Amino acid sequence: MGATRVLVADDNVVVRSGLVSLLEAHGIEVAGEAGDGRRAVELTARLRPDLVLLDVRMPLMDGVAAVAEISPLAPVLMLTYTDDPGTVRAALGKGATGYLVHGAFTADELIAAVHDAVGGAHPLSPAAVSALVGAVREASGAAESAAPAEARTPPDAPHGGFGLSAREAEVMRLIVQGASNGEIAARLFLAEKTVKNHVNRIYAKLGVTSRGAAIARWIGTSGDLGRSR
């Protein structure tokens, strides 16, 4: 197997150069560089990297808009200074596989996150997890307040209109927290293959094909996600 190929998209030349140097120092091939979202989309379509590192605030097309076009072509790991909860949820809802905030990880943790994202995991900075958990609480509180007492859903009933079983809802809550399939298996004392089956059923019931989109759909902030990577 060849080296992992990554496209780096950030309008700050200093940040972009630093990322390129770090990746190359760890044996990761930089397939290309982009200074704006539109160029990132074009290069992804042409170069087909294994992963795209994508900033949020860029000219011509911002990262949130770009991820919607890039995610069907390659996994996208948002790498940005922006920790606004709405931006986090929007990026994940449009198909980003993970979201890291500068200052919340070390160089080694970033390299690990790159490999994890390529391998199908979903790296999330604490700020991203907090944004999602906060949205879950807000959505749950609003639904609970709006429902008549006799109509409120018991803890073991299917979740909302999605039809998730109690176990699937439990798995989904751990997905929101950023847990990998292996971590979920350990937490719930299940085989990893069983967790994978639960995740596949969750995707089918939520009408999505990625963890980020599942999280956004679960917390009710996705709008019309369609089917993204």
Side-chain angles (χ1 to χ4, degrees), residues 21-129:
S21 297
L22 177 63
L23 294 171
E24 291 179 340
H26 286 79
I28 296 171
E29 178 184 343
V30 176
E33 300 179 42
D36 62 75
R38 175 51 59 194
R39 182 64 172 161
V41 172
E42 294 171 352
L43 288 178
T44 300
R46 180 158 61 87
L47 301 173
R48 296 303 176 105
D50 298 312
L51 181 71
V52 177
L53 296 181
L54 188 65
D55 188 21
V56 168
R57 304 196 185 284
M58 294 187 291
L60 300 184
M61 175 186 285
D62 67 36
V64 174
V67 73
E69 297 191 33
I70 294 173
S71 59
L73 305 175
V76 178
L77 178 57
M78 306 304 293
L79 190 59
T80 178
Y81 286 100
T82 304
D83 60 1
D84 170 65
T87 302
V88 174
R89 295 195 295 267
L92 294 173
K94 290 181 180 295
T97 197
Y99 196 108
L100 298 182
V101 178
H102 285 294
F105 54 83
T106 65
D108 287 341
E109 287 170 342
L110 174 58
I111 296 302
V114 167
H115 289 300
D116 288 346
V118 171
H122 302 268
L124 295 171
S125 286
V129 174

Side-chain angles (χ1 to χ4, degrees), residues 185-207:
R187 291 272 295 275
L188 300 181
F189 303 101
L190 298 172
E192 191 165 347
K193 182 178 180 182
T194 300
V195 172
K196 184 175 182 180
N197 289 337
H198 282 311
V199 171
N200 287 338
R201 285 195 291 271
I202 289 168
Y203 284 1
K205 290 179 180 180
L206 270 59

Side-chain angles (χ1 to χ4, degrees), residues 121-167:
H122 302 268
L124 295 171
S125 286
V129 174
S130 295
L132 295 174
V133 171
V136 170
R137 288 173 178 164
E138 290 169 10
S140 297
E144 186 72 11
S145 298
E150 64 275 11
R152 289 175 186 170
T153 305
D156 57 348
H159 184 276
F162 298 127
L164 269 62
S165 68
R167 175 64 84 185

Side-chain angles (χ1 to χ4, degrees), residues 8 10 12-24 33:
V8 180
D10 195 304
N12 186 315
V13 177
V14 174
V15 172
R16 196 167 72 238
S17 297
L19 288 171
V20 169
S21 297
L22 177 63
L23 294 171
E24 291 179 340
E33 300 179 42

